[in-house]
């Protein structure tokens, strides 16, 4: 028997190790993969911004109607870190994580999920009385 948390969002943090440097140093390719991951997860893309650092490394964000996906790469180490933060349950952050693991050709992936916006705490620490917090229902088939 588990404890069910009612939250506004899900934040998946992913560590990708052993990625080919030619992939994770390519700004345009990283932006393409991140946008595809957002789309694959069911998100609605609002905007994306990516930057290539000199001499190497890419940072970027895909802003989605449901929150965001961010990445930072270290091609010299074959490493990339990604955050996928989604609000509600219409988007699967794990689908985006799996998609990126394949595209970045990571040899090893470590990840975990952090519940965000815990309803009980929102109510407890609010400056006014909040009787109900709207949490979108879980869609069938969303991991």
């Amino acid at each position: 028997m588990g404890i069910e948390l009612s939250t506004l969002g899900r934040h998946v943090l992913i560590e990708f190790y052993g990625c080919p440097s030619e992939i994770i140093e390519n700004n345009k390719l990283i932006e393409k993969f991140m946008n595809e991951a957002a789309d694959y997860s069911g998100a609605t893309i609002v905007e994306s911004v990516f930057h290539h650092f000199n001499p190497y490394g890419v940072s970027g964000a895909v802003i989605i109607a449901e929150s965001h996906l961010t990445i930072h790469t270290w091609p010299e180490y074959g490493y990339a870190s990604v955050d996928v933060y989604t609000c509600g349950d219409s988007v699967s952050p794990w689908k985006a994580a799996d998609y990126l693991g394949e595209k970045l050709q990571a040899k090893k992936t470590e990840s975990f999920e952090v519940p965000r916006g815990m309803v009980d705490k929102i109510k407890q620490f609010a400056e006014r009385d909040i009787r109900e917090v709207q949490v979108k229902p879980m869609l069938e088939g969303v991991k």
Side-chain angles (χ1 to χ4, degrees):
M1 179 163 113
I3 298 171
E4 185 171 326
L5 289 176
S6 187
T7 64
L8 296 178
R10 302 166 71 190
H11 195 164
V12 176
L13 297 105
I14 312 114
E15 309 279 306
F16 294 113
Y17 301 98
C19 303
S21 61
E22 61 273 10
I23 292 175
I24 62 174
E25 71 182 351
N26 185 324
N27 190 56
K28 293 294 180 196
L29 193 57
I30 293 296
E31 183 171 11
K32 176 181 182 288
F33 290 161
M34 291 289 286
N35 277 278
E36 288 173 352
D39 187 54
Y40 181 72
S41 71
T44 304
I45 298 170
V46 175
E47 180 178 9
S48 66
V49 177
F50 285 76
H51 176 77
H52 184 268
F53 291 95
N54 186 11
Y56 34 67
V58 174
S59 282
V62 177
I63 307 306
I64 58 176
E66 303 81 6
S67 197
H68 66 269
L69 290 77
T70 60
I71 189 169
H72 189 74
T73 71
W74 285 263
E76 68 273 31
Y77 305 128
Y79 169 75
S81 64
V82 172
D83 290 7
V84 181
Y85 187 179
T86 62
C87 296
D89 288 318
S90 63
V91 176
S92 172
W94 290 105
K95 284 180 98 173
D98 292 344
Y99 184 87
L100 288 169
E102 289 179 28
K103 292 298 184 179
L104 299 180
Q105 297 178 22
K107 288 192 173 93
K108 176 152 180 66
T109 302
E110 293 179 341
S111 56
F112 62 95
E113 183 172 335
V114 178
R116 302 297 301 269
M118 291 185 236
V119 171
D120 288 343
K121 286 187 178 187
I122 290 171
K123 289 178 180 180
Q124 178 182 356
F125 298 114
E127 292 183 7
R128 60 182 174 82
D129 185 33
I130 298 176
R131 300 216 183 272
E132 183 179 351
V133 175
Q134 294 288 326
V135 177
K136 296 179 183 176
M138 176 71 88
L139 294 181
E140 191 172 317
V142 174
K143 182 176 168 186

